[in-house]
Amino acid sequence: MPTAVRRLGASLFAGLLLVSLAGPAAAALPAFDLTTLVQAEANLGSLVNAERTTNGLVALQLDPDVMAIARQRAETMAATDLFSHKNPDGSDVFDAIAAAGIPWFGAGEVLVWNTYATEADSTAQAVAAWLGSPAHRSILLSADFNYAGFGAAVSPISGHRYYAGVFLKRTDRTAAWTKAGTTSVRVLDATRARVTVRWTGGDPRLQVLTAGLRDYEVQRRVVGGAWRSLGLRTTTTVTETLPRARTYEYRIRARDRAGNRGIWSVVAVRV
């Protein structure tokens, strides 16, 4: 089970390490279909994040752009059976990051292949191998990264299961979140009522560079009608006096200080 690690940070330090570990023979290995490869990538992320939280670190956000780079790295190795941080054309993960137009302050890559037959065994042993090497472990458990992606591929020639993990320190691009809470209605007279809508929200914590919550956008409509803006708020409640005998919908979404907006959270209230 060979493993490799490369890291590049703001200090422009780069290093390369190859470690060879024994693994089962590759003869007659079953292939992994696309669903199994996608599951393998998810399992790598879950296993790494479980180890991070066990060690008091924040789980890495799995970023689609970084996942695409990691997948391409694994697929290139599988297609060529070339286990290296360098592609056949001489490019590497940092070239891929630049080509994707991703701004970053630090980056790292870990690679591994093995010959375990099942996806569960193969991914578990891959992460165990990374964690068993001090250089690899330092990448997986770094306090300098906040995003990651994992790629999986199988060589059609040797059957080797190739895995790549790409780690980045980049500005916060994770959407803030909102969850609608309780509503209350106080009847004022035959035609009016006082409506209060409450919610909770926040900005997911990253290991580094969390933008922090900025505000909430709030809108309201009569069911079936057009949405009306109630403006931006930093509080988690809105109170209005409204005509009775109608059903209203409120929707709220959060925005962080980097401008990342979450999805709308909707609640209906009968007045």
Side-chain angles (χ1 to χ4, degrees), residues 49-59 141 143 205 207:
N49 275 334
E51 190 68 23
R52 287 180 63 87
T53 55
T54 296
N55 284 272
L57 297 167
V58 178
L141 301 185
R205 182 189 171 201
Q207 183 67 53

Side-chain angles (χ1 to χ4, degrees), residues 32-100:
F32 289 170
D33 61 15
L34 178 59
T35 299
T36 303
L37 291 173
V38 171
Q39 184 61 55
E41 293 169 348
N43 284 347
L44 291 171
S46 296
L47 290 167
V48 169
N49 275 334
E51 190 68 23
R52 287 180 63 87
T53 55
T54 296
N55 284 272
L57 297 167
V58 178
L60 297 164
Q61 291 288 327
L62 300 181
D63 184 282
D65 294 339
V66 187
M67 291 288 288
I69 293 172
R71 184 174 295 135
Q72 180 272 323
R73 298 286 295 126
E75 289 175 348
T76 298
M77 290 188 293
T80 60
D81 264 329
L82 176 64
F83 183 61
S84 172
H85 287 290
K86 290 288 187 179
N87 291 320
D89 63 2
S91 64
D92 59 19
V93 67
F94 307 112
D95 296 313
I97 295 170

Side-chain angles (χ1 to χ4, degrees), residues 9-270:
S11 62
L12 299 182
F13 168 79
L16 178 65
L17 175 69
L18 292 173
V19 180
S20 293
L21 299 176
L29 283 170
F32 289 170
D33 61 15
L34 178 59
T35 299
T36 303
L37 291 173
V38 171
Q39 184 61 55
E41 293 169 348
N43 284 347
L44 291 171
S46 296
L47 290 167
V48 169
N49 275 334
E51 190 68 23
R52 287 180 63 87
T53 55
T54 296
N55 284 272
L57 297 167
V58 178
L60 297 164
Q61 291 288 327
L62 300 181
D63 184 282
D65 294 339
V66 187
M67 291 288 288
I69 293 172
R71 184 174 295 135
Q72 180 272 323
R73 298 286 295 126
E75 289 175 348
T76 298
M77 290 188 293
T80 60
D81 264 329
L82 176 64
F83 183 61
S84 172
H85 287 290
K86 290 288 187 179
N87 291 320
D89 63 2
S91 64
D92 59 19
V93 67
F94 307 112
D95 296 313
I97 295 170
I102 300 174
W104 55 281
F105 304 100
E109 178 182 68
V110 295
L111 308 175
V112 63
W113 68 262
N114 64 42
T115 56
Y116 287 88
T118 69
E119 176 273 323
D121 286 342
S122 185
T123 52
Q125 291 300 323
V127 174
W130 284 335
L131 292 170
S133 162
H136 297 76
R137 185 180 180 86
S138 71
I139 296 288
L140 271 62
L141 301 185
S142 172
D144 292 330
F145 298 132
N146 50 10
Y147 287 91
F150 297 91
V154 175
S155 167
I157 302 170
S158 66
H160 291 174
R161 287 79 161 97
Y162 286 97
Y163 303 109
V166 178
F167 301 77
L168 284 184
K169 176 182 179 181
R170 65 182 303 188
T171 54
D172 188 342
R173 65 193 304 265
T174 302
W177 63 273
T178 309
K179 181 179 180 180
T182 61
T183 63
S184 59
V185 178
R186 183 164 67 90
V187 175
L188 300 178
D189 53 39
T191 61
R192 299 177 305 144
R194 182 69 53 84
V195 177
T196 298
V197 176
R198 303 171 185 84
W199 62 88
T200 56
D203 190 33
R205 182 189 171 201
L206 305 176
Q207 183 67 53
V208 290
L209 301 181
T210 304
L213 183 68
R214 175 180 291 234
D215 51 29
Y216 300 97
E217 182 180 1
V218 184
Q219 297 181 358
R220 184 243 309 143
R221 70 175 180 180
V222 176
V223 170
W227 289 103
R228 173 188 173 187
S229 175
L230 301 182
L232 300 174
R233 299 166 182 264
T234 56
T235 59
T236 56
T237 183
V238 60
T239 299
E240 297 185 289
T241 298
L242 298 172
R244 294 183 60 192
R246 299 179 183 179
T247 299
Y248 297 91
E249 285 183 319
Y250 286 83
R251 66 179 186 181
I252 311 102
R253 66 178 177 180
R255 177 178 62 162
D256 71 12
R257 296 185 183 280
N260 301 304
R261 289 179 170 85
I263 63 173
W264 292 104
S265 181
V266 182
V267 62
V269 54
R270 176 68 180 173

